Amino acid sequence: VYAEKYDGTPVTLYANSGVVIATGGYGANPEMRAEYNTYWPELPLTMPTTNAPGSTGDGIIMAQAVGANLVGMEFVQLMPSSHPETGALSGGVWGSAEDQVFINLEGRRFVNEYASRDTLAAAALNQTDALFFIIGDQITSGNPQRGGKNVWGDSIDTLIETKSIYVADTLEELAEQIGIPADALVDEIAKYNSYVDANYDPDFGKPFLGGRIEVAPFWATPRSPSVHHTMGGIQIDAEARVISTTGEVIPGLYAAGEVTGGIHAGNRLGGNALADIMVFGRIAGANAALGK
C-alpha cells in the first residue's frame, strides 16, 4: 500500500495477510454523491455534510479499481436539521422531538416534527431556500442561558454572535430577527399551543406534543438538510471479505464500516453505524490477520 504522510513523506506498507479498507463513506465528495444519487430529486454540490473532510470515497474507488462490486450507491441519508453553513449537527438550541416546532420562511409549520429523517429532509428541501427554524421558548429549549443540555455546540454568547441562534423577549421580535412575517409566526404558535392543549395535531398528525411555546425568552435555530451517511459502498460477505463484480471473493481484501454497502439498506437507523463498525471491523481484522 503506497501512502503519504501529512508532510508529504512517502510511506510503503507491506501487507502479508490481507488489506482492510475502512476509509469511510463518500459524504464529503459532492461529485460522487451526484453521480450515484437516484434517491433524492437533487443533491446540490454545495450541500454541506456532517461527515469528516476525509470521507471522500477513496476506499470505494480503490476497491472498484481491483474489481470490487458496489451496492446501494444511490442511497444517501440526509440529516434534516443541520447548521445551514457548516452542515454540523451542533450550533443550536432545541429540545427533543416532541418539543420541536419547525417554522419555514413564511412563518408556517410544514411537517410532523416527529417524522423520520427522510421525511423531514424531503419536507425541508421543499421549503424556500431549504431553510427552516426550530422555535422554542425558555422551557422547551431547556433554559439555554444556564447551560442546559439542549445547547448544542459553542457557548450561548458565541452562538448568538455568529447568528447560529436568535433570542427575543417576544415572538414578534424573534420574527423580525429571523426575517419572517410576525403575524404568521404568532398565529402559528398560537395554533400549535391549542394542539398541545388538545393533545391532537390535525395539521400534520404529530403523535407526541410537548409543552406550549409561551415562556419568554423565545429561541430560534436556523436549520437545513445536509449529507449525513452514505449507505452505498463495497459489497462484502458475512466474513467481511470483498466481493467482486463476478460474485467471487477477492483474496486478501476485506472492508468494514461506512465504506461498505448493503448493510443498512436504503435508510440507516440512528446508532446502527456503531454496531456496524464494531462488528464488521472486528471480523475483518481477525480474518485479515489469519489470512482467512
Side-chain angles (χ1 to χ4, degrees):
V1 177
Y2 298 102
E4 188 177 279
K5 291 184 177 181
Y6 70 94
D7 62 359
T9 303
V11 176
T12 302
L13 305 173
Y14 297 94
N16 296 319
S17 301
V19 171
V20 178
I21 301 179
T23 53
Y26 52 97
N29 187 330
E31 289 77 15
M32 195 170 185
R33 292 170 353 206
E35 175 185 356
Y36 287 101
N37 170 59
T38 59
Y39 187 72
W40 298 98
E42 182 184 11
L43 284 179
L45 298 181
T46 55
M47 180 178 285
T49 178
T50 63
N51 292 179
S55 297
T56 52
D58 295 356
I60 295 174
I61 295 170
M62 287 189 288
Q64 191 178 26
V66 294
N69 192 43
L70 305 184
V71 292
M73 290 293 290
E74 69 273 25
F75 296 122
V76 175
Q77 185 180 65
L78 303 184
M79 175 56 67
S81 50
S82 302
H83 194 289
E85 295 180 5
T86 68
L89 298 179
S90 58
V93 172
W94 63 86
S96 56
E98 63 268 22
D99 286 323
Q100 293 179 18
V101 179
F102 290 1
I103 297 292
N104 60 21
L105 289 176
E106 287 69 47
R108 301 296 181 185
R109 284 180 72 216
F110 57 91
V111 71
N112 162 19
E113 294 90 349
Y114 222 93
S116 67
R117 287 175 177 173
D118 275 15
T119 299
L120 295 174
L125 289 174
N126 283 328
Q127 305 310 305
T128 303
D129 297 336
L131 182 68
F132 66 96
F133 298 88
I134 301 178
I135 304 295
D137 71 352
Q138 184 68 357
I139 305 303
T140 61
S141 297
N143 300 309
Q145 298 104 322
R146 302 173 187 172
K149 64 179 181 179
N150 297 332
V151 178
W152 306 92
D154 296 318
S155 69
I156 284 293
D157 290 341
T158 299
L159 292 174
I160 293 174
E161 181 181 350
T162 59
K163 298 189 182 303
S164 295
I165 61 173
Y166 298 83
V167 59
D169 290 330
T170 67
L171 288 172
E172 290 85 352
E173 292 174 5
L174 189 68
E176 182 179 358
Q177 287 188 37
I178 62 180
I180 67 175
D183 55 346
L185 177 61
V186 171
D187 176 68
E188 200 71 4
I189 295 303
K191 186 165 58 172
Y192 182 82
N193 285 342
S194 72
Y195 298 164
V196 172
D197 294 339
N199 196 30
Y200 174 63
D201 175 12
D203 290 343
F204 300 103
K206 186 175 181 179
F208 302 105
L209 296 165
R212 291 169 57 89
I213 310 296
E214 60 184 0
V215 180
F218 299 95
W219 302 83
T221 299
R223 297 280 100 176
S224 187
S226 67
V227 173
H228 188 48
H229 192 99
T230 52
M231 269 72 70
I234 304 167
Q235 183 180 3
I236 58 172
D237 63 10
E239 297 298 323
R241 299 176 299 185
V242 174
I243 306 301
S244 72
T245 54
T246 59
E248 300 179 1
V249 169
I250 298 179
L253 189 59
Y254 308 83
E258 196 177 356
V259 74
T260 64
I263 306 300
H264 303 286
N267 190 11
R268 178 189 63 95
L269 293 175
N272 275 12
L274 297 176
D276 173 19
I277 62 176
M278 289 188 287
V279 171
F280 284 103
R282 188 179 190 281
I283 292 172
N287 287 341
L290 296 172
K292 181 178 176 182

